[in-house]
Amino acid sequence: MHKLLTDSPGEKMLMLGNEAIARGAIEAGVAFGATYPGTPSSEISEYLFRISHETDLYFEYSTNEKVALEIAAGAAVCGLRSMAVMKHVGMNVAADALMTLAYVGVRGGLVIVCADDPFMFSSQNEQDNRYYGKLSGLPILEPSTGDEAKEMVKYAFDLSEELKEPVILRTTTRINHSSFVVELGNIRRRETRGDFEKNPFRYVTVPAVSRNLHKLLLQNYDKALATANRSPWNRISGDGKWGIACNGVSYNYVQDAVKELGISERTKVLRVGFSHPFPNGLVQEFLKGCERVLVVEEGEPYMEESVKAAAQEAGCTISIRGKGDELFSRLFEFDPALVRRNVARFFGLSEPMSESISAAGLPEIPQRPPNLCAGCPHRATFYSVRKVLGDDAIYPTDIGCYTLGLLPPLSMADFLICMGSSVGTAAGFARATGRKVVAFIGDSTFFHSGLPGLVSAVHHNHNFTLVILDNGTTAMTGHQPHPGVDLRPLGFEGYSTVDIETVVRGLGVKHVTVVEPLKLKKTQEAVKEAVEFKGVSVIISREICPLYAKVLPDAKKTRSFHVAEAKCANHRVCINDLGCPAFYLEDDRVKINENVCIGCAVCAQICPENAILPVKTA
Amino acid sequence: MDPIRLIIVAVGGQGNLLASRVLGEAALAANVPVRMSEIHGMAQRGGVVESAVLFGDVESTIISDGEADALVGFEPSETLRAAKKCGKDTVVITNLGQLPPFTVAIGKGVYPDIPSSLDLLRQRVKKVIAFDGTGLAIKAGNADEGRRKRTDPFFGLREERRDRNRRPDPSERELVLRASLRGRFDQGGGATTRDREARRVEKGNL
């Protein structure tokens, strides 16, 4: 039985924030869920997906976040408690569905978990998704800890059913990827059978219907606002003339700062956990008696603006500050010392400094950037395309492991903005410059958002080559399935597999080749042909992710290679052109770490002396 | 209890997250308040993994520069990279087994001189305990397979398989713990300490 199904209320477990969120959903009786994987949200879905194969919970990896939200909305409208899980940029993809779903509403609770990533540990931007609350008019809940996240998920389902509209649970990386002691609660029975009552004047958003629904949404907003003003998730602690308003993980740093500065007697702290609609009534209460207020929030000045607006309405003119030159930045994440320093500075206290040791004389530490794994087929594909086209071509790329092809020596990435952008931008580069353009996209990303761009390119006869790097899994986020994955070897029945080649041909692409990237010569021939073709050409570079292959039941033993010293002339083509992490230098000679090499034999094919050979096993 | 802040740094695949998990579970079992955080965005791809474990009465899950009570490094260059987390009262415990980053192999960086760097560190922090943990682990039958030891978070099949075939070896942690309790590593063990320990381990003389 899955750990998160443990039915012993009161038991304490150490849980990752994401585990706590999944457990909260289980305790709330979630019956239906969908996601597209994205760090820092991925683990939530991994747990629920596994649990779905042990119970009557339905959980799926949809092709993208919009589809995930739509399927969850369908189930919720039929009365099922449903959940859609995504990272912050995934919310952009789901936003089209979200904005009008807010009008239509739901019957069963629908909780949308959206994981923000301040500092961009693993994201292309650090947008602050609290603004999606303002944009959609939907409630937003923000936990400060994992144990609180679990309780908030349960509350979010109740609130969603009370208001009959979706509720957004917004986390940040430091919630998702921190561990907390969590106390288990009771598990509510799952209701997995829904029903649908036709009501087109509620559910079909033609203008006449939507005009009524928008009114309804605003009435709901008023209800939600009243709830937020009374909500135990918004709490004032302490008393004094100094006010601090904060949210999320900033609350933890503020609590530590107040304690360490010894100002708890003089300070009043407002923690906002139900942050949209913003509890302006409670804030006005909080402001009474304050001489000055500091707003501590990562990201944008969402609370700061709201607190200032609430103060204005109440005729309160005290100093309320948050973001600013001498204060907090809108960039990146906070940390305890930063918050303590700013609290001390704002209230005119001398700050106890914690000094880092001097770095004087310490050597510079060589960078350790993440790298494509040893034997990664993407490396072979990149090598071949570079061999054929060098820097003559423009290489739009996409989001996945292969984005790491950006780094030298491969240097195979020229442009990236979002999932699927390789295809769309490739057409722009090709039209605007007339240069050769080769775009790269992964299999999962292709299903996620590569399809529309490709259809458009076929229709307009754009002239570029799209390389689909098909490694048979969503590798970057931890090997989640996608529509092109055969799940039978893993023991999961009942799925059909969508074949990428069939799809591409079906979209009308006239020049399609499937290559095995570890065979360099043939791959390079295919690249030459494809880039000569006038119009859209597609190369499907098909080779399983070696990390994923290892976990499949029929995992083959790999045989590593070594450098035959007698043959090696120290050209270093292997190290310099491939950058495989299995290579290392010892006494100025290239060696292969046999524990790292998986025997893909790509380097063996490019060695001018044929000096790289399989290790003989006795 | 007063907060104790511990940072563990390692290279992806060295078991950093597992190590902090073990400490966290131990704290939970001992009724010590504990919170942890980890940054492992690209751990699978050989990047740096950093985790923070905070014991006692503290709300934060991360540790600011200069505020670690203890820094444990599974790889010496990563220990040095994390030096800014140390203040004058920090205790540094580091493995001496090196895993040079790939940038060194392709001449894009120079691997630092560890002994002289640790000497500098010794002058600035409370204490540096350095020894060849990798060698100990190999001797103990837990050969560090580098990045082969990865488990798959999604299906966990590999993990289960491994657990079934596992011999109950004395773990690296236990070895280090026992040896360090005897005060054997205070002088930053070189080969002699390592060999002595290895011999003891071989004899099963723990």
Side-chain angles (χ1 to χ4, degrees):
Chain A
M1 188 185 72
H2 197 281
K3 165 185 159 184
L4 293 182
L5 292 171
T6 308
D7 193 8
S8 54
E11 187 184 330
K12 285 184 173 160
M13 278 188 190
L14 188 67
M15 286 190 191
L16 201 62
N18 280 342
E19 280 180 296
I21 291 168
R23 171 70 190 193
I26 295 296
E27 287 184 10
V30 69
F32 199 100
T35 189
Y36 183 82
T39 310
S41 76
S42 306
E43 294 89 350
I44 304 170
S45 307
E46 280 163 18
Y47 304 126
L48 292 176
F49 182 73
R50 280 207 212 175
I51 288 167
S52 77
H53 289 92
E54 294 181 33
T55 64
D56 59 349
L57 162 69
Y58 180 80
F59 194 90
E60 76 167 43
Y61 282 100
S62 306
T63 44
N64 64 34
E65 295 84 356
K66 178 172 181 281
V67 175
L69 180 55
E70 285 160 351
I71 187 170
V77 163
C78 296
L80 300 189
R81 286 201 151 188
S82 306
M83 193 172 219
V85 182
M86 60 200 67
K87 70 183 291 180
H88 62 332
V89 284
M91 192 71 123
N92 301 332
V93 178
D96 198 11
L98 180 75
M99 292 304 135
T100 310
L101 178 62
Y103 281 29
V104 166
V106 292
R107 277 174 55 222
L110 171 57
V111 177
I112 301 162
V113 179
C114 130
D116 283 18
D117 189 16
F119 190 68
M120 299 164 277
F121 288 101
S122 42
S123 307
Q124 64 269 41
N125 75 27
E126 56 176 351
Q127 65 185 59
D128 187 334
N129 273 16
R130 291 177 298 173
Y131 287 98
Y132 270 116
K134 282 195 168 183
L135 199 58
S136 64
L138 295 174
I140 291 200
L141 299 169
E142 296 182 65
S144 293
T145 63
D147 38 323
E148 188 176 55
K150 175 174 82 85
E151 296 308 313
M152 255 189 197
V153 169
K154 287 152 70 173
Y155 172 74
F157 277 107
D158 292 342
L159 181 68
S160 172
E161 282 169 8
E162 185 193 327
L163 297 169
K164 296 195 167 48
E165 62 185 20
V167 170
I168 299 165
L169 181 90
R170 183 249 187 186
T171 61
T172 58
T173 303
R174 295 297 185 175
I175 301 281
N176 301 93
H177 286 171
S178 290
S179 298
F180 306 84
V181 176
V182 177
E183 189 174 318
L184 302 186
N186 290 308
I187 297 176
R188 178 180 151 143
R189 210 172 55 83
R190 262 182 301 279
E191 282 294 339
T192 53
R193 182 47 59 202
D195 63 281
F196 180 69
E197 279 182 35
K198 289 176 187 260
N199 184 356
F201 296 101
R202 164 82 196 269
Y203 293 137
V204 184
T205 52
V206 294
V209 172
S210 291
R211 287 181 198 118
N212 288 327
L213 293 179
H214 194 188
K215 270 185 220 155
L216 197 65
L217 176 65
L218 296 184
Q219 286 164 13
N220 263 351
Y221 178 92
D222 292 339
K223 239 192 282 182
L225 176 59
T227 310
N229 274 320
R230 290 191 314 268
S231 174
W233 302 118
N234 300 326
R235 52 175 179 266
I236 298 168
S237 53
D239 201 4
K241 290 179 172 153
W242 295 346
I244 301 176
C246 54
N247 71 326
V249 291
S250 301
Y251 178 51
N252 304 333
Y253 310 151
V254 165
Q255 288 178 99
D256 286 346
V258 166
K259 200 169 89 184
E260 284 162 19
L261 294 167
I263 55 171
S264 43
E265 299 302 304
R266 291 181 275 176
T267 315
K268 197 160 45 155
V269 176
L270 165 69
R271 199 297 299 260
V272 177
F274 190 146
S275 60
H276 190 268
F278 194 75
N280 55 1
L282 183 75
V283 169
Q284 287 162 352
E285 276 308 299
F286 167 75
L287 292 172
K288 280 179 193 162
C290 284
E291 282 176 357
R292 49 197 335 217
V293 171
L294 181 66
V295 183
V296 187
E297 58 184 329
E298 289 173 338
E300 299 301 314
Y302 168 89
M303 281 177 62
E304 185 184 343
E305 287 164 358
S306 305
V307 171
K308 284 173 174 171
Q312 198 276 338
E313 283 170 10
C316 164
T317 56
I318 60 166
S319 168
I320 298 166
R321 301 293 310 281
K323 306 287 175 187
D325 283 346
E326 288 291 292
L327 291 161
F328 290 104
S329 171
R330 288 155 73 159
L331 295 168
F332 312 150
E333 64 165 1
F334 295 173
D335 65 79
L338 171 87
V339 170
R340 193 179 59 231
R341 198 164 48 240
N342 278 340
V343 167
R345 191 182 297 155
F346 186 75
F347 295 115
L349 303 161
S350 62
E351 37 184 309
M353 283 297 293
S354 49
E355 292 264 352
S356 289
I357 55 167
S358 147
L362 284 176
E364 190 168 334
I365 312 298
Q367 287 296 301
R368 197 186 290 272
N371 190 348
L372 292 171
C373 304
C376 174
H378 299 336
R379 174 179 290 106
T381 310
F382 283 143
Y383 173 85
S384 287
V385 176
R386 174 157 284 285
K387 195 84 190 151
V388 174
L389 295 161
D391 272 330
D392 295 344
I394 302 172
Y395 302 119
T397 191
D398 225 299
I399 293 186
C401 291
Y402 47 93
T403 317
L404 297 174
L406 154 81
L407 300 171
L410 297 168
S411 305
M412 290 297 285
D414 291 326
F415 197 80
L416 169 67
I417 45 181
C418 61
M419 296 276 290
S421 71
S422 58
V423 193
T425 60
F429 288 120
R431 282 278 163 185
T433 64
R435 284 172 68 181
K436 289 216 184 306
V437 177
V438 180
F440 295 94
I441 193 167
D443 42 355
S444 186
T445 310
F446 177 69
F447 285 117
H448 177 284
S449 49
L451 293 163
L454 191 56
V455 173
S456 187
V458 168
H459 173 62
H460 294 99
N461 280 313
H462 290 307
N463 189 17
F464 65 88
T465 301
L466 177 66
V467 179
I468 301 173
L469 300 157
D470 180 5
N471 62 359
T473 184
T474 313
M476 184 69 145
T477 43
H479 302 125
Q480 293 85 353
H482 64 67
V485 177
D486 183 358
L487 286 172
R488 283 169 307 181
L490 294 160
F492 297 128
E493 293 295 336
Y495 296 91
S496 303
T497 307
V498 181
D499 176 58
I500 293 180
E501 186 186 353
T502 311
V503 170
V504 171
R505 291 189 191 279
L507 296 181
V509 179
K510 293 285 180 287
H511 192 288
V512 184
T513 2
V514 180
V515 299
E516 295 171 57
L518 302 184
K519 297 177 178 165
L520 298 181
K521 224 197 215 122
K522 280 194 166 156
T523 303
Q524 286 163 30
E525 281 162 18
V527 172
K528 279 181 200 144
E529 273 179 36
V531 297
E532 285 314 313
F533 181 81
K534 288 276 172 284
V536 182
S537 53
V538 169
I539 296 173
I540 300 166
S541 188
R542 190 181 291 158
E543 179 65 43
I544 194 160
C545 163
L547 285 189
Y548 181 55
K550 263 196 261 188
V551 305
L552 294 176
D554 58 347
K556 290 182 195 62
K557 273 249 178 293
T558 57
R559 184 168 64 157
S560 62
F561 279 58
H562 75 293
V563 180
E565 280 185 41
K567 285 183 156 189
C568 170
N570 221 355
H571 295 292
R572 304 223 179 149
V573 174
C574 50
I575 259 197
N576 292 343
D577 292 6
L578 289 177
C580 172
F583 293 119
Y584 64 101
L585 291 176
E586 196 171 83
D587 305 327
D588 222 32
R589 304 293 295 198
V590 176
K591 296 266 200 322
I592 291 175
N593 179 338
E594 291 177 19
N595 277 332
V596 179
C597 172
I598 63 157
C600 74
V602 166
C603 56
Q605 296 169 64
I606 70 167
C607 175
E609 310 291 339
N610 293 322
I612 302 178
L613 303 164
V615 173
K616 296 248 184 330
T617 40
Chain B
M1 75 182 240
D2 283 341
I4 295 175
R5 297 174 170 90
L6 163 70
I7 296 240
I8 308 178
V9 289
V11 177
Q14 282 193 300
N16 173 345
L17 300 180
L18 183 62
S20 36
R21 179 104 211 179
V22 166
L23 288 170
E25 294 286 356
L28 175 63
N31 256 326
V32 172
V34 64
R35 286 187 173 184
M36 314 190 304
S37 68
E38 54 199 51
I39 286 301
H40 55 80
M42 299 296 292
Q44 288 261 2
R45 318 291 178 267
V48 184
V49 189
E50 181 183 291
S51 53
V53 189
L54 292 91
F55 305 96
D57 299 323
V58 58
E59 304 294 331
S60 304
T61 64
I62 58 175
I63 298 168
S64 297
D65 290 353
E67 301 197 345
D69 295 298
L71 167 66
V72 175
F74 287 10
E75 202 281 343
S77 73
E78 292 311 322
T79 307
L80 295 173
R81 196 193 306 278
K84 64 178 184 304
K85 291 286 175 193
C86 300
K88 60 181 184 354
D89 298 325
T90 306
V91 175
V92 177
I93 303 170
T94 184
N95 177 18
L96 291 168
Q98 300 181 4
L99 286 170
F102 184 71
T103 45
V104 170
I106 56 172
K108 291 260 187 288
V110 180
Y111 197 85
D113 182 68
I114 298 299
S116 67
S117 306
L118 289 180
D119 284 342
L120 274 179
L121 210 55
R122 257 188 205 95
Q123 298 161 21
R124 294 170 195 176
V125 299
K126 189 171 173 183
K127 192 175 187 182
V128 175
I129 301 167
F131 56 92
D132 179 17
T134 310
L136 276 176
I138 289 170
K139 293 287 182 192
N142 261 348
D144 174 15
E145 292 177 288
R147 278 182 264 152
R148 277 189 165 188
K149 270 194 151 177
R150 275 186 295 243
T151 54
D152 177 60
F154 179 41
F155 297 106
L157 297 173
R158 189 176 153 79
E159 204 169 357
E160 283 159 27
R161 261 209 309 273
R162 245 213 346 249
D163 286 349
R164 274 205 302 276
N165 305 334
R166 212 171 194 159
R167 290 205 321 275
D169 285 319
S171 69
E172 177 186 356
R173 208 181 45 258
E174 198 178 345
L175 285 170
V176 169
L177 207 65
R178 291 182 183 203
S180 63
L181 286 175
R182 293 193 182 85
R184 288 189 170 270
F185 292 122
D186 289 358
Q187 299 313 312
T192 52
T193 316
R194 172 186 163 179
D195 294 346
R196 214 168 42 229
E197 286 304 324
R199 273 199 303 277
R200 285 185 336 102
V201 172
E202 267 172 332
K203 287 185 199 143
N205 172 17
L206 288 167

